[in-house]
Amino acid sequence: VAITPDGLRAITGSSDKTCIVWDLQNGEVSQTLKGHTEFVKSVAICPDGKRAISGSSDNTCIVWDLNSGEALHTLTGHTLWVNAVDICPDGKRAISGSLDRTCIIWDLNNGEVSQTLKGHTESVNAVAICPDGKRAITGSKDTICIVWDLTTGKALQTLKGHSYSVNAVTITPDCKMAISSCVNKTC
């Protein structure tokens, strides 16, 4: 689930292969977005609230126009399920994490791969972009988190401390700290 910055709409992803855009003022469906052929595993909304990205177990991401409901780009590059997506604060790039152990940085304007990030040895389950748009953190079934430089695509830090799969990550607004959660009930 993701909510537009103005708090008026939300988008949800589902095992029925669709995303639904909800009007949060009346609780009704605004649009049903169809384009994936398998489960939708993750969604994120651009900071301007006009576009969203969804990641699916069909190995693709789709960039959506939230006003028209149109699929702007189908992003192909992963070889296995896309588990997680996030969008840069400028709305120009997104990151996806996959069961194929990679993350891809996407150019949202043309739908092209900007960089492929390799460093995890198991499924990438979680991604988060720093509010300054310069770095991202990824969490994996391999029990580690990696902090990435989004300009160079290089791993800046490998964070160890979990003993099981990392399932969620987020970054503080000042970009100084991150938190990760693990299947063994630890953060």
Side-chain angles (χ1 to χ4, degrees), residues 57-146:
S57 56
D58 65 10
N59 309 347
T60 70
C61 297
I62 297 178
V63 180
W64 304 95
D65 181 314
L66 292 182
N67 293 321
S68 70
E70 176 186 358
L72 301 173
H73 302 288
T74 298
L75 310 178
T76 58
H78 286 295
T79 59
L80 295 170
W81 295 8
V82 177
N83 292 323
V85 292
D86 198 11
I87 298 176
C88 282
D90 64 8
K92 294 179 181 177
R93 295 176 298 156
I95 186 172
S96 57
S98 171
L99 191 63
D100 68 10
R101 306 177 202 169
T102 69
C103 294
I104 295 179
I105 306 296
W106 303 95
D107 181 318
L108 293 182
N109 292 322
N110 62 23
E112 299 290 322
V113 173
S114 294
Q115 297 178 53
T116 300
L117 309 178
K118 297 179 181 180
H120 286 290
T121 59
E122 294 286 341
S123 170
V124 179
N125 299 330
V127 297
I129 296 174
C130 199
D132 66 11
K134 296 177 182 176
R135 292 169 288 160
I137 186 170
T138 56
S140 170
K141 186 177 178 184
D142 64 12
T143 74
I144 64 170
C145 294
I146 298 176

Side-chain angles (χ1 to χ4, degrees), residues 127-128 137 168-172 177-180:
V127 297
I137 186 170
V169 293
T170 194
I171 300 172
T172 58
M177 295 175 34
I179 188 167
S180 57

